[in-house]
Amino acid sequence: MPAAQAQDAKPAQPVELLNASYDVARELFAAINPVFAAEWQAKNGQKVEIKQSHAGTSAQARAILEGLQADVVTFNQVTDVQILHDRGNLVAADWQKRLPNSASPFYSLPAFLVRKGNPKGIKDWSDLIRSDVKVIFPNPKTSGNARYTYLAAYAYALEKNGGDQAKAQDFVRQLFANVPVFDTGGRGATTTFVERNLGDVLITFESEVNGIRREYGDKGFEVIVPPVSLLAEFPVSVVDKVVDRKGTRAVATAYLEFLYTDKGQEILAGFFNRVHAPAVVAKYKGQFPEVRLVKVEDVFGDWAKVQKEHFASGGILDKVFVNR
Amino acid sequence: MGSHGQGLTPPHSAKPVKARRVLPGFGITMGLTLTYLGIIVLLPLAALILKSAEIGIDGFWQVLSSPRVLASFQLTFTAALIATLINAAYGLLMAWILVRYDFPGKRFVDALVDLPFALPTAVAGVALTTLFAGTGWYGQWLEPAGIQVVYTITGVAIAMAFTSVPFVIRTVQPVLETLDSQIEEASVTLGAYPFTIFRRVILPMIAPAYLTGCALAFARSLGEFGAVIFIAGNLPFKTEIAALLIFIRLEEFDYPAASAIAAVLLALAFIILFATNALQARWLRRREASS
């Protein structure tokens, strides 16, 4: 019967997914996608091709709000997923509850990369405001990566000064005053530090810091993980409106769930991301120094509050950023 | 209004015969022209204005009068002015050399002039930054001499100069080509010095096109983004250009504020172009009246 045949043939139709992601995740997903595609095809007999799109996550969120047909988002900032719900109702309100660990399959933290032999002896956040230290990180206004750096420094200063907001702001102001140039994204800051030889320390995600050290092995950079830093989540979600229209919900969901499997977590850890799967955590223990991580929610309240108080136009970031 | 240089045909053909229509049907061709212009140029601009109107005059004013926005405008205008002055001098020189001299590789140089138009400006920005950074070819000599280019207004101006120099050359070049060398020869036989010839004979002839080229270069510099953000350093109040501030406001999902800043750049560019056109038209009318 032709009708039954058509139905049988349906799963074999190739399907295409678009993953909208952040700037420095290009290599990571290039490694994950073929593994997932092979697994999906083995299980369902369906070919899946995953396209990647990378930029700052705020730019990606804006593109999706304006019609980019991304099936899934893999961002580095909760607020950038949330805005897809708030502004366009593209993502369900409960998106953070649909997958484990607040829909964040891996995490990282702001860490430091210093030059060979650590000539300035940089060990902790307090070293970054010394007058002889030049710090490189991107513009927090255009980079989610740098917003974590800002929050981590702020949280460190709050803790050190017994919760004194004024002193914490002063600390971040001094930190910003030590930054000679603000690139618009993480990769730009890396270029400034590595190729242009500017600055004594680069602050970016631990995963990126290690990636750079591996990439530029000949230059002998050293990774410094400060004793305390901020938990940086990497939230993921299917874009409900898009997958429902394209009929790709099943494969898109499976794609995100794959990130939580041992196989997925293993690839993530291979790119120096910290993961949750116990077996993988044990295997890569030596790769990740002990660090006490504070959570955004515990120090600053929820992300909506952080957004309003710190990052909105005229917020605390603007005050310390422009009064450097 | 005619395109630049159109009115500079020699005096004996100054009175044009009524143009024969090559394309059939003035109504249709004009209609198509206006429709296309409307869809591609006017509507997006109207949308921009409408978007910025969302915040009302007060909001508009608040966005524009913030010290950071003012600082970015100041930097953008100053750098664009420097870039235009540099290009005014070098652009004229290059146009002159390309028209008046023959040398090996002239065609290559002529093609090179258009490169800033063809190249993605971001590539230019990265290349310039690499050259002028302390580790780069130029920078390794400049920085020890105390000349810091990258991450300063100098860098911004250089990036702008790079992307806008073809405007000056390409508007002056055709006019120089049509200049009648007999006028210069006559001046020489009358005993004029070269500089006098340039100032009293050549400059007035090329002035309208030259001015247009400079105005276009300036307007282009105001809006340059790709080349500048790599070399500027993007420090608020110091090297943050207006176009980056538009980008930042968009990243904050603050569309009206972004549109408000953009509207100012747009208005300025439009005023500059319109004024140059008007000035040029007056110039030509005066010339025709006197000949």
Side-chain angles (χ1 to χ4, degrees), chain B residues 78-80 82-84 86-87 116 124-125 127-129 131-132 138 142 147-150 152-165 221 224 227-228 231:
Chain B
T78 317
I82 298 172
T84 307
I86 297 172
N87 282 343
L128 288 172
T129 314
L131 286 177
F132 282 102
Y138 304 162
L142 290 174
I147 304 168
Q148 168 83 22
V149 175
V150 286
T152 65
I153 187 172
T154 319
V156 177
I158 288 178
M160 287 175 172
F162 178 91
T163 53
S164 65
V165 70
S221 298
E224 182 49 39
V228 175
I231 204 169

Side-chain angles (χ1 to χ4, degrees), chain B residues 54-67:
Chain B
E54 274 175 21
I55 44 175
I57 301 226
D58 283 350
F60 197 77
W61 193 242
Q62 211 166 19
V63 168
L64 297 181
S65 60
S66 89

Side-chain angles (χ1 to χ4, degrees), chain A residues 95-104 236-237 253 256-257 260:
Chain A
W95 68 271
Q96 271 187 296
K97 299 205 180 75
R98 294 194 291 200
L99 288 163
N101 300 309
S102 310
S104 178
V236 302
S237 177
T253 308
L256 296 182
E257 282 166 352
Y260 288 90

